[in-house]
Amino acid sequence: MNYLVGLLSVVFFILAITVISKSLKLNKNLSGENESDSALDSHNNTNAVGFLLFWLFGTIAGVWSFLHSKPDFLPEAASAHGVKTDSMFWISMAVVTFAFFITNTLLFFFAFQYRNDKNRKATFYPVNHKLEIIWTIIPAIVMAILVFTGWRTWRDITSQAPSNAVVIEITGHQFGWYVRYAGNDDSQLGNINYKLIDETNSLGLDFTDKNTFDDFTASELHLPKGVPVLLKIRAQDVLHSVYLPFQRVKMDAVPGMPTKFWFTPTISTDEMRAKLGKKDFNFKLNCTEICGRGHFGMAITVFVDEPADYKKWVSEQKPFLTMNPAYLSKVPENLKAKASKYIPAEPIAADSTATEAVSVK
């Protein structure tokens, strides 16, 4: 790539020197020091051939750049909507590239074909309504189709999540993520209140809400393959951004303004490892909004499990209240009987994977 940049720099330098030289000669002509017709024809022919060579080398360089960059393209889409957005992207790129190639090919060809010729007289051609209608309507139709398909895809992505969607809350903070799952009993996330945040209750779980009793947290994100997943996204301090590159998920986490994104994972972690030939491969959730000094390390591991494996993993997790029975005192009297079933008869050793999120200090 550096070689190509260097080569293009040399070419453009030579072209710049050539243009300056032509400008000096033109200045002489304006001063009355005329060149011979044969010299002018030679210059015109040289410039015309230069246009064709520039088009040729530019086309070769563009194709080479595309092929050379393919390994750095986005990886295979591992979600249902990701396949659609990838398809829409490449269709748009094909249309734009085709139009760019045709118009620039004609531009350079016309510069060559219709260079100055003393034996040819230009035709006065002020207007052609039919031609103008054609080159206005066709691009308008193509653009309308692209915009409509893009709007339809975005409408589907931002539509209401299916009723069977697994709800997971992602909360960004400097510099890590808190992941909260609805519990095994009600499959609903309980309320949170930032005023309730303390050294242990990092999310501010509100135990006046009975739906909070079975909620559990984790330091990794588990997703069921083939099942819709609704991510409820929050931020505690500054602007963050949830990014799952393989799943084509990206949504800002904004303090004071919850956002959401739902999608359906289609490729499990084991399947992607087999596709890539990497036994140690794992999906990642990264932050793509520069949020401070530790931004670079703000990532957690993502596992896409088969539905049965996901259910097994969820069933093995312990609610926050079970791991921290002292919070039973925060439960209203009329709900303590319901909450008590989550309190173990004997204290349980704290499991950092169930109560904390990975963060970079």
Side-chain angles (χ1 to χ4, degrees):
M1 190 63 183
N2 292 333
Y3 174 77
L4 177 62
V5 172
L7 178 62
L8 289 176
S9 299
V10 172
V11 171
F12 282 116
F13 177 76
I14 295 174
L15 290 175
I17 296 298
T18 303
V19 170
I20 293 173
S21 175
K22 300 301 181 185
S23 299
L24 292 175
K25 290 183 179 179
L26 177 61
N27 185 53
K28 287 184 178 180
N29 291 339
L30 294 175
S31 302
E33 303 176 13
N34 295 323
E35 289 186 287
S36 64
D37 291 342
S38 60
L40 288 174
D41 288 342
S42 174
H43 294 328
N44 285 326
N45 290 333
T46 300
N47 288 332
V49 173
F51 270 106
L52 285 187
L53 292 175
F54 186 86
W55 169 85
L56 177 62
F57 289 123
T59 302
I60 294 173
V63 173
W64 175 86
S65 177
F66 175 84
L67 296 176
H68 181 74
S69 302
K70 283 190 73 174
D72 298 321
F73 289 174
L74 281 174
E76 179 181 357
S79 66
H81 82 274
V83 174
K84 295 179 182 178
T85 55
D86 281 8
S87 175
M88 185 181 68
F89 172 81
W90 286 115
I91 290 174
S92 299
M93 282 295 295
V95 171
V96 171
T97 302
F98 175 77
F100 177 84
F101 179 77
I102 294 298
T103 53
N104 281 275
T105 297
L106 291 175
L107 174 67
F108 288 108
F109 173 75
F110 272 57
F112 172 82
Q113 181 66 23
Y114 299 105
R115 61 192 181 278
N116 180 63
D117 185 347
K118 63 181 180 180
N119 298 319
R120 180 170 54 208
K121 184 177 181 180
T123 302
F124 183 64
Y125 198 68
V127 66
N128 186 322
H129 293 301
K130 181 183 294 186
L131 185 61
E132 291 179 358
I133 290 173
I134 291 173
W135 71 36
T136 300
I137 290 181
I138 292 179
I141 292 174
V142 173
M143 285 298 296
I145 293 173
L146 292 177
V147 170
F148 175 75
T149 54
W151 167 80
R152 186 175 60 182
T153 302
W154 181 244
R155 178 202 63 188
D156 294 342
I157 292 173
T158 57
S159 63
Q160 192 70 22
S163 58
N164 66 328
V166 174
V167 182
I168 303 173
E169 183 183 75
I170 306 289
T171 302
H173 66 96
Q174 293 178 311
F175 296 99
W177 301 98
Y178 296 125
V179 184
R180 181 167 65 120
Y181 297 80
N184 293 291
D185 295 338
D186 57 17
S187 299
Q188 296 184 49
L189 288 170
N191 294 332
I192 61 172
N193 187 334
Y194 73 93
K195 295 180 180 179
L196 300 176
I197 293 176
D198 58 33
E199 291 183 357
T200 304
N201 187 5
S202 302
L203 287 169
L205 299 181
D206 184 359
F207 292 99
T208 63
D209 180 7
K210 63 181 181 180
N211 292 327
T212 306
F213 299 162
D214 63 343
D215 290 355
F216 65 90
T217 59
S219 61
E220 56 196 25
L221 181 61
H222 281 257
L223 306 172
K225 174 190 168 185
V227 179
V229 175
L230 172 61
L231 296 183
K232 291 189 172 183
I233 302 168
R234 299 175 180 269
Q236 288 188 338
D237 35 45
V238 299
L239 190 66
H240 301 283
S241 189
V242 171
Y243 181 46
L244 295 162
F246 280 85
Q247 286 74 27
R248 305 297 193 266
V249 172
K250 187 180 185 301
M251 181 60 71
D252 285 350
V254 185
M257 190 181 78
T259 55
K260 62 181 180 179
F261 198 112
W262 80 268
F263 62 102
T264 303
T266 56
I267 302 177
S268 70
T269 298
D270 289 338
E271 289 173 337
M272 187 58 75
R273 287 172 179 171
K275 284 175 177 286
L276 299 177
K278 299 178 180 179
K279 295 181 180 180
D280 298 328
F281 169 83
N282 283 311
F283 296 116
K284 290 289 184 180
L285 185 154
N286 302 95
C287 177
T288 55
E289 198 74 45
I290 297 178
C291 54
R293 183 176 297 178
H295 163 73
F296 68 94
M298 194 169 165
I300 58 174
T301 302
V302 179
F303 295 97
V304 178
D305 305 319
E306 294 295 338
D309 295 332
Y310 176 78
K311 289 181 180 179
K312 181 177 181 296
W313 178 81
V314 169
S315 67
E316 293 171 349
Q317 306 308 303
K318 297 179 177 63
F320 179 91
L321 189 58
T322 301
M323 303 302 299
N324 301 275
Y327 284 88
L328 182 62
S329 62
K330 306 290 185 180
V331 178
E333 289 297 328
N334 63 322
L335 294 177
K336 279 192 174 179
K338 181 177 178 63
S340 294
K341 79 172 194 174
Y342 298 100
I343 305 301
E346 298 180 1
I348 299 177
D351 181 357
S352 62
T353 62
T355 59
E356 299 178 359
V358 172
S359 61
V360 179
K361 302 296 184 184

